[in-house]
Amino acid sequence: MTQVAAESVVPGTERTNPPAYDVDKVRADFPILSREVHGKPLVFLDSGASAQKPRAVIKAISDVYENEYANIHRGVHYLSVRATELYDEAREKVRAYLNAAKASEIVFTRNTTEAINLVASSFTGQRLKEGDEILLTELEHHANIVPWQLVAERAGAVVKPAPVDGDGIIDLAAFEKLLTPRTRMVAFTHTSNVLGIITPAKEMIKLAHDKGIPVLIDGAQSAVHLNVDVQDLDCDFFTFTGHKLYGPSGIGVLYGKAELLESMPPYQGGGDMIEYVTFEKTTFAKPPERFEAGTPHIAGAIGLGAAIDYVNGLGRDAVAAHEHDLLQYATAQISELPGIKLFGTKGEKASIVSFLHDDVHPHDVGTILDQAGIAVRVGHHCAQPLMDRFGITGTVRASIGLYNTRDEIDKLVESLDHVKEIFG
Ligand code: 7TS
């Protein structure tokens, strides 16, 4: 049986008197949710991979291209100045969303992956020597493993994972022990994309800081479901991706403490990141421009700003309460199904249910669900080391977004019952 307690509250989302949440009204904001798939109403339970977009985001993007588009930071003409204003406003919206101290601490990237690569290359890579260590955890997405391996290999450094237990909970004592005098960087996910488990980030950051080690938080999943406050967390870097937060793909965010970003060399060279260029020597702009070489995803940043407005408009606490209700509902229903094993049901969680059928391959389960109009992700979820830890090759993952309903969870459970009928 599952361990999700009825009263458990996602950290950072404690609430008093949540505002009424009208999920039907919310659903009406997402045009794609009214379409059918294989002749069935779409049940979209794959928001952990990428979320659907509300009309407000789609409109913000088309409005830019229809009315206010030009390149930014380089024109004296009206449209360039206007597009620059909108881009800067989007940066300010991200700053407020993360409660960063300054807008200059927010760098726009393509996605979480690029944000992590940027830090690995421009911050950690610069400081690594042979025999140094980078500490991750077994929960990580490949995006928070491979960039560190690339820089470690160049320096002769090693990447180590802090272990999790059989429920996917980080072993804090082991984590602390792995913080050695050779550890130059700690990087870990705030919320597992496979299990939905929320890591004790504040505690882990404190443990690392006590030993003078900087910390990057992979917030690709957490920025969507938790009230992230980078000052309260005291992380050195925080990364997330727009497309999981109901915004466009191709836009992501790196938050970095001002003094660290200022100390870092550019990640890529080109236009917009310089102060002065000669063939002999180039001087660089201050952050964040130093890290935004070339024409950025202007409409993407503005679309992300619109997504943040949208989520704030619904109320982050109200969204979290709704999602938490669905998570508990789904976990309870699925745990009742014979022949299905749930993964990661203990501890604080957000929006993800991962499971395996005793006899049916996850891809077959995914295909049968798809025939019923239900979109889930199956496979290793770009977290192969975690699959190895559990001795499996993949799971079926239902990830819940702010537009999902109990009725959709019922459909998922009915279809899982049907899987059993088909495979006997
Ligand atoms: N970190 C975590 C925890 C993630 O879940 C993902 C994407 C990433 C990093 C990379 O994000 P990107 O925007 O740079 O690609 N996770 C998933 C997923 O779970 N299914 O598809 C993508």
Side-chain angles (χ1 to χ4, degrees):
M1 281 293 285
T2 167
Q3 298 288 316
V4 174
E7 298 75 22
S8 72
V9 173
V10 176
T13 64
E14 294 83 358
R15 54 198 174 266
T16 47
N17 301 324
Y21 191 80
D22 184 347
V23 71
D24 291 332
K25 197 159 162 272
V26 170
R27 290 178 69 78
D29 292 337
F30 290 78
I32 206 168
L33 295 182
S34 58
R35 69 158 291 164
E36 295 191 339
V37 169
H38 304 308
K40 310 270 168 37
L42 169 66
V43 173
F44 193 75
L45 290 168
D46 195 22
S47 300
S50 200
Q52 299 299 349
K53 317 305 171 199
R55 203 170 276 108
V57 168
I58 299 166
K59 186 170 176 313
I61 296 167
S62 58
D63 273 357
V64 180
Y65 287 128
E66 286 185 13
N67 299 308
E68 309 203 272
Y69 184 76
N71 211 335
I72 58 165
H73 293 159
R74 56 196 90 202
V76 291
H77 63 79
Y78 175 83
L79 280 180
S80 177
V81 173
R82 182 69 190 125
T84 303
E85 276 168 13
L86 291 171
Y87 186 79
D88 291 345
E89 274 170 24
R91 199 191 302 279
E92 170 54 25
K93 287 176 188 179
V94 174
R95 184 209 63 74
Y97 190 76
L98 297 180
N99 194 34
K102 303 176 198 167
S104 60
E105 295 179 317
I106 304 299
V107 177
F108 282 121
T109 61
R110 279 190 302 132
N111 44 33
T112 301
T113 303
E114 188 176 52
I116 296 173
N117 275 280
L118 195 167
V119 175
S121 168
S122 289
F123 181 74
T124 313
Q126 305 291 320
R127 290 160 170 76
L128 279 184
K129 298 205 168 49
E130 201 176 335
D132 283 348
E133 296 165 6
I134 298 169
L135 183 60
L136 314 177
T137 81
E138 286 182 329
L139 289 174
E140 304 315 315
H141 185 282
H142 297 163
N144 199 29
I145 301 175
V146 185
W148 305 113
Q149 288 175 327
L150 293 176
V151 291
E153 202 170 309
R154 266 174 233 143
V158 258
V159 171
K160 293 191 167 178
V164 295
D165 69 15
D167 293 308
I169 309 276
I170 300 217
D171 179 341
L172 272 181
F175 172 78
E176 190 173 4
K177 251 196 210 145
L178 284 162
L179 296 167
T180 76
R182 298 309 308 258
T183 313
R184 293 285 163 265
M185 188 80 203
V186 168
F188 62 89
T189 188
H190 201 184
T191 300
S192 158
N193 69 313
V194 177
L195 307 171
I197 284 178
I198 299 165
T199 54
K202 206 171 162 178
E203 212 175 330
M204 292 166 74
I205 291 164
K206 170 124 188 15
L207 288 171
H209 281 179
D210 284 348
K211 296 189 175 166
I213 306 163
V215 182
L216 175 140
I217 301 293
D218 173 355
Q221 298 290 338
S222 70
V224 188
H225 304 294
L226 311 184
N227 264 334
V228 173
D229 180 333
V230 289
Q231 293 188 75
D232 181 57
L233 282 171
D234 196 29
C235 53
D236 300 284
F237 300 99
F238 186 95
T239 61
F240 76 94
T241 247
H243 65 93
K244 295 185 204 285
L245 186 60
Y246 311 97
S249 52
I251 188 82
V253 167
L254 166 66
Y255 156 82
K257 282 183 179 166
E259 64 274 22
L260 297 183
L261 290 179
E262 274 155 25
S263 76
M264 287 159 55
Y267 173 54
Q268 294 179 330
D272 229 21
M273 51 73 72
I274 53 88
E275 195 177 54
Y276 202 79
V277 180
T278 66
F279 277 109
E280 289 69 40
K281 183 172 168 60
T282 292
T283 52
F284 305 116
K286 288 190 183 321
E289 283 80 14
R290 186 185 299 165
F291 304 106
E292 294 181 2
T295 301
H297 189 0
I298 301 164
I302 294 165
L304 173 57
I308 287 174
D309 286 345
Y310 180 78
V311 173
N312 286 340
L314 294 180
R316 286 163 82 176
D317 290 351
V319 168
H322 174 73
E323 291 176 346
H324 203 57
D325 170 67
L326 292 181
L327 175 66
Q328 288 174 307
Y329 186 67
T331 307
Q333 304 274 317
I334 295 170
S335 69
E336 297 290 329
L337 294 174
I340 287 190
K341 177 177 169 17
L342 279 159
F343 288 84
T345 55
K346 300 221 173 95
E348 297 292 354
K349 286 198 44 161
S351 284
I352 285 172
V353 191
S354 236
F355 53 90
L356 257 187
H357 208 285
D358 279 351
D359 309 310
V360 190
H361 193 279
H363 281 86
D364 292 330
V365 176
T367 305
I368 292 167
L369 294 179
D370 176 54
Q371 289 306 309
I374 302 171
V376 293
R377 184 169 172 190
V378 296
H380 56 59
H381 314 298
C382 301
Q384 281 176 332
L386 185 62
M387 298 295 119
D388 291 344
R389 165 68 184 78
F390 289 144
I392 57 178
T393 53
T395 72
V396 181
R397 180 189 73 178
S399 51
I400 294 161
L402 51 74
Y403 34 59
N404 290 121
T405 64
R406 280 191 172 217
D407 181 51
E408 290 181 310
I409 302 297
D410 290 341
K411 284 186 179 153
L412 170 69
V413 172
E414 269 165 40
S415 295
L416 288 173
D417 252 347
H418 186 52
V419 169
K420 189 130 193 76
E421 276 164 32
I422 293 176
F423 285 86

